[in-house]
């Protein structure tokens, strides 16, 4: 369950960007290296991409290059056109055989120990692959530009990042001058996991006019005790809800001991988990969703 939570939120994994390819014999001018000078990947634009990273899938569509996708994980469900791409199964510990059936010239994986074997298998078999994690805004920018470079849409990638920055600035303006409210972000329960300063969620809460009550914890998704939550007594509890009922846990008002929080029940705000838990091209919409949750009075006269 925790591995699935890590994948869905992107909030409890450190970011890794590794680009590797076992291709040999290419001219150095036709090879690209990542920022860490790891193994290069072919500079030729991939035509058959299997993306097992929902955010990467969204980015490729946002760049106008969704037609290059020939395979996706079962979690890649946005935009709606993504559902037309063949589903090759899980994103965590994927089936290499199912991926290879799609004859990819590039596979995009979620990095980390859970997918280390898949990455090793692809390298052994000579399949170029890109392993990424999205955890901070700097990582989102880096990965948008990197994917844009790979599909020869660098200009569009720069424009996309510029649009994201402008839209985030607009959200900041909407809540400017309003009291900063203390917020507990309900990453998971039970046990209680929240957002720490190592997560993009912490940044989003700040943009949305909130103060993360556990923003002093360095971990992206620290486990916290009920006693610690009660001691920090947030004004707002944000509870993410997914379209998939199986992913939704017990709401705060129904948890033992939570009724003593001042935020329960009136200060519990529901947000769209399928939007907020993906650090991708829609991140400004996620920030707006959080701003509405933290400062509903600011949007009372605004048509949804």
């Amino acid at each position: 369950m925790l591995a699935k939570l890590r994948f869905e939120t992107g909030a409890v994994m450190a970011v890794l960007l590794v680009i590797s390819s076992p291709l040999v014999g290419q001219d150095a001018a036709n090879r690209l290296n990542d920022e860490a000078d790891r193994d290069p990947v072919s500079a030729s634009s991939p035509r058959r991409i299997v993306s097992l990273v929902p955010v990467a899938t969204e980015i490729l569509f946002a760049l106008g290059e969704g037609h290059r996708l020939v395979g996706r994980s079962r979690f890649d469900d946005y935009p709606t056109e993504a559902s037309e791409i063949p589903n090759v199964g899980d994103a965590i510990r994927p089936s290499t055989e199912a991926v290879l059936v799609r004859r990819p010239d590039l596979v995009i994986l979620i990095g980390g120990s859970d997918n280390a074997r898949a990455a090793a298998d692809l390298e052994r078999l000579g399949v170029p692959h890109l392993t990424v994690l999205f955890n901070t805004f700097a990582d989102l920018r880096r990965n948008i530009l990197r994917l844009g470079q790979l599909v020869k849409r660098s200009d569009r990638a720069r424009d996309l990042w510029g649009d994201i920055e402008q839209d985030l600035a607009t959200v900041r303006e909407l809540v400017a001058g309003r009291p900063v409210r203390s917020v507990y972000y309900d990453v998971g329960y039970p046990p209680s996991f929240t957002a720490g300063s190592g997560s993009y969620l912490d940044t989003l809460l700040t943009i949305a006019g909130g103060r993360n009550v556990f923003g002093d914890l360095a971990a992206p998704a620290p486990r916290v005790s009920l006693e610690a939550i009660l001691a920090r007594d947030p004004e707002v509890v944000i509870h993410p809800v997914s379209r998939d009922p199986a992913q939704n846990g017990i709401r705060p008002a129904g948890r033992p001991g939570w009724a003593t929080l001042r935020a329960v029940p009136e200060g519990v705000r529901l947000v769209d988990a399928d939007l907020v838990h993906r650090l991708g091209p829609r991140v400004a919409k996620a920030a707006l969703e959080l701003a509405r949750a933290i400062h509903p009075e600011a949007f009372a006269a605004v048509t949804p």
Side-chain angles (χ1 to χ4, degrees):
M1 178 179 178
L2 183 56
K4 179 173 171 38
L5 176 66
R6 286 200 302 265
F7 167 66
E8 286 296 316
T9 66
V12 295
M13 297 185 288
V15 174
L16 171 68
L17 177 59
V18 179
I19 299 180
S20 59
S21 171
L23 299 178
V24 295
Q26 294 190 26
D27 188 284
N30 194 41
R31 296 159 76 92
L32 298 172
N33 285 19
D34 74 354
E35 295 181 56
D37 261 349
R38 295 186 176 88
D39 293 339
V41 67
S42 170
S44 61
S45 188
R47 296 180 179 276
R48 296 183 60 84
I49 301 174
V50 171
S51 172
L52 302 180
V53 185
V55 175
T57 297
E58 288 192 35
I59 290 172
L60 289 170
F61 272 102
L63 294 175
E65 298 297 323
H67 61 275
R68 296 175 186 262
L69 291 162
V70 297
R72 63 175 176 93
S73 83
R74 62 190 179 92
F75 297 104
D76 297 46
D77 56 6
Y78 189 90
T80 54
E81 294 88 341
S83 63
E84 301 172 8
I85 300 168
N87 178 353
V88 299
D90 288 334
I92 300 295
R93 294 184 292 277
S95 165
T96 304
E97 292 78 8
V99 169
L100 293 179
V101 166
R102 301 305 306 155
R103 297 181 291 110
D105 53 16
L106 179 67
V107 178
I108 306 176
L109 293 166
I110 294 173
S113 59
D114 286 331
N115 280 346
R117 181 172 180 177
D121 286 345
L122 291 171
E123 184 168 355
R124 175 175 52 83
L125 293 168
V127 180
H129 59 283
L130 174 70
T131 49
V132 296
L133 288 175
F134 293 78
N135 197 47
T136 67
F137 282 85
D139 301 318
L140 174 60
R141 176 183 181 276
R142 183 185 307 117
N143 291 333
I144 286 174
L145 297 180
R146 183 55 172 153
L147 288 172
Q149 183 183 26
L150 286 172
V151 298
K152 309 302 185 187
R153 294 297 297 270
S154 290
D155 289 346
R156 175 64 190 120
R158 286 191 291 270
D159 289 344
L160 175 59
W161 178 249
D163 290 343
I164 289 171
E165 287 190 308
Q166 286 186 343
D167 291 343
L168 288 171
T170 298
V171 176
R172 289 190 181 95
E173 292 172 4
L174 287 171
V175 296
R178 297 189 176 273
V180 176
R181 293 196 172 124
S182 59
V183 180
Y184 175 84
Y185 193 91
D186 194 25
V187 169
Y189 178 90
S192 296
F193 284 91
T194 190
S197 64
S199 167
Y200 74 90
L201 290 169
D202 180 74
T203 305
L204 275 181
L205 292 174
T206 300
I207 291 171
R211 177 183 62 81
N212 179 8
V213 294
F214 286 101
D216 59 319
L217 301 184
R223 178 175 174 174
V224 293
S225 67
L226 174 60
E227 292 74 19
I229 299 170
L230 293 174
R232 302 192 183 201
D233 199 20
E235 297 171 77
V236 177
V237 171
I238 294 182
H239 178 69
V241 178
S242 173
R243 291 187 301 271
D244 180 1
Q247 296 184 33
N248 297 326
I250 303 170
R251 294 197 179 184
R255 301 173 187 175
W258 284 64
T260 58
L261 286 170
R262 61 172 162 168
V264 178
E266 288 80 5
V268 175
R269 311 281 162 72
L270 307 183
V271 297
D272 181 357
D274 303 303
L275 170 65
V276 178
H277 287 179
R278 291 186 183 175
L279 179 59
R282 296 180 292 158
V283 67
K285 291 183 179 180
L288 182 60
E289 178 99 344
L290 291 171
R292 287 179 182 272
I294 297 169
H295 293 285
E297 74 287 350
F299 301 89
V302 179
T303 302

XYZ file of all heavy atoms in Angstrom, residues 4 6 12-13 35 37 40 50 57 76 78 89 128 172 185 190 201 232 234 237 244 298-299:
191
model
N 2.296 2.025 -3.399
C 1.285 2.620 -4.270
C 1.070 4.074 -3.903
O 0.940 4.943 -4.765
C -0.020 1.836 -4.153
C -1.159 2.380 -5.006
C -2.323 1.433 -4.950
C -3.577 1.986 -5.575
N -3.478 2.766 -6.740
N 3.271 6.045 -2.533
C 4.447 6.778 -2.987
C 4.302 7.140 -4.451
O 4.593 8.237 -4.878
C 5.710 5.949 -2.781
C 6.155 5.850 -1.345
C 7.613 5.466 -1.290
N 7.878 4.217 -1.957
C 7.929 3.036 -1.349
N 7.692 2.962 -0.060
N 8.192 1.938 -2.008
N 6.864 10.922 -1.340
C 7.729 10.275 -0.372
C 8.938 9.643 -1.025
O 9.557 8.774 -0.450
C 6.948 9.200 0.422
C 5.884 9.842 1.251
C 6.364 8.150 -0.468
N 9.242 10.074 -2.242
C 10.411 9.556 -2.917
C 11.330 10.710 -3.270
O 10.887 11.774 -3.659
C 10.012 8.817 -4.193
C 9.151 7.597 -3.953
S 8.819 6.679 -5.459
C 7.695 7.763 -6.300
N 22.214 15.995 -16.577
C 22.994 16.961 -15.822
C 24.039 16.313 -14.940
O 25.002 16.949 -14.533
C 22.055 17.828 -14.980
C 21.133 18.684 -15.842
C 20.225 19.555 -15.002
O 20.742 20.320 -14.183
O 19.001 19.464 -15.155
N 25.886 13.806 -15.870
C 26.866 13.152 -16.740
C 26.808 11.634 -16.645
O 27.828 10.954 -16.693
C 28.286 13.626 -16.418
C 28.750 14.688 -17.393
O 28.061 14.880 -18.399
O 29.784 15.303 -17.127
N 24.767 8.291 -21.691
C 23.977 9.077 -22.632
C 22.828 8.280 -23.234
O 22.810 7.068 -23.228
C 24.998 9.447 -23.705
C 25.977 8.319 -23.673
C 26.047 7.873 -22.247
N 7.010 4.112 -24.555
C 6.166 3.536 -23.510
C 6.413 4.347 -22.250
O 7.532 4.388 -21.740
C 6.480 2.049 -23.260
C 5.741 1.542 -22.011
C 6.081 1.201 -24.470
N 3.470 11.174 -19.166
C 2.445 11.035 -20.199
C 1.720 12.366 -20.402
O 1.508 12.811 -21.535
C 1.446 9.940 -19.814
O 2.130 8.684 -19.747
C 0.314 9.830 -20.827
N -2.017 5.806 -16.017
C -1.941 6.941 -16.942
C -3.327 7.182 -17.532
O -3.708 6.576 -18.530
C -0.929 6.658 -18.054
C 0.485 6.491 -17.545
O 0.673 5.774 -16.552
O 1.404 7.068 -18.142
N -4.795 10.561 -17.855
C -5.036 11.945 -18.247
C -3.989 12.372 -19.264
O -2.810 12.052 -19.093
C -4.983 12.880 -17.027
C -5.441 14.280 -17.356
C -6.768 14.638 -17.228
C -4.534 15.225 -17.837
C -7.198 15.917 -17.563
C -4.960 16.504 -18.182
C -6.287 16.838 -18.040
O -6.705 18.100 -18.386
N 0.126 -2.430 -18.015
C 0.089 -2.925 -16.636
C 0.611 -1.942 -15.614
O 0.412 -0.733 -15.725
N 16.685 1.743 -24.785
C 16.896 3.044 -24.133
C 15.780 3.341 -23.140
O 14.601 3.090 -23.418
C 16.872 4.038 -25.300
C 17.251 3.216 -26.494
C 16.654 1.859 -26.256
N -1.056 32.959 -6.442
C -0.475 33.741 -5.335
C -1.205 35.075 -5.178
O -1.483 35.520 -4.064
C 1.012 33.978 -5.580
C 1.903 32.763 -5.435
C 3.367 33.180 -5.472
N 4.262 32.052 -5.361
C 4.806 31.427 -6.407
N 4.525 31.838 -7.634
N 5.615 30.406 -6.230
N -1.911 18.536 5.859
C -2.238 17.838 4.611
C -2.252 16.346 4.871
O -1.255 15.751 5.296
C -1.251 18.173 3.490
C -1.777 17.694 2.160
C -2.550 18.529 1.369
C -1.548 16.398 1.726
C -3.083 18.089 0.165
C -2.076 15.944 0.528
C -2.844 16.793 -0.256
O -3.373 16.341 -1.438
N -4.690 4.887 7.878
C -3.687 4.848 8.941
C -2.406 4.179 8.463
O -2.472 3.401 7.519
C -4.379 4.002 10.018
C -5.217 3.036 9.210
C -5.652 3.790 7.983
N 4.195 19.317 -2.295
C 2.936 19.675 -1.648
C 3.140 20.806 -0.647
O 2.275 21.678 -0.481
C 2.334 18.452 -0.952
C 1.783 17.363 -1.873
C 1.476 16.096 -1.079
C 0.534 17.848 -2.596
N -0.170 20.605 17.252
C -0.030 21.681 16.264
C -1.398 22.237 15.842
O -1.456 23.294 15.229
C 0.774 21.183 15.069
C 2.143 20.685 15.523
C 3.116 20.448 14.402
N 4.372 19.914 14.937
C 5.535 19.965 14.304
N 5.613 20.532 13.108
N 6.623 19.461 14.862
N -4.049 22.348 13.615
C -4.201 23.176 12.412
C -5.604 23.773 12.285
O -6.589 23.211 12.771
C -3.933 22.191 11.277
C -4.327 20.863 11.848
C -3.900 20.920 13.285
N -7.718 21.116 7.762
C -7.226 19.787 7.411
C -7.648 19.522 5.972
O -8.838 19.579 5.642
C -7.798 18.695 8.328
C -7.445 17.304 7.796
C -7.263 18.857 9.751
N -11.356 6.994 -7.620
C -11.390 5.566 -7.334
C -11.676 5.370 -5.845
O -10.813 5.638 -5.010
C -10.051 4.927 -7.699
C -10.011 3.428 -7.424
O -11.037 2.884 -6.963
O -8.963 2.814 -7.671
N -12.428 33.636 -0.293
C -11.860 34.424 -1.394
C -12.517 34.095 -2.724
O -12.403 34.863 -3.684
C -10.357 34.194 -1.488
N -13.211 32.955 -2.768
C -13.809 32.508 -4.023
C -15.327 32.433 -3.928
O -15.968 31.910 -4.826
C -13.244 31.132 -4.391
C -11.761 31.107 -4.547
C -10.945 30.846 -3.464
C -11.173 31.373 -5.763
C -9.551 30.840 -3.589
C -9.789 31.364 -5.912
C -8.978 31.097 -4.821
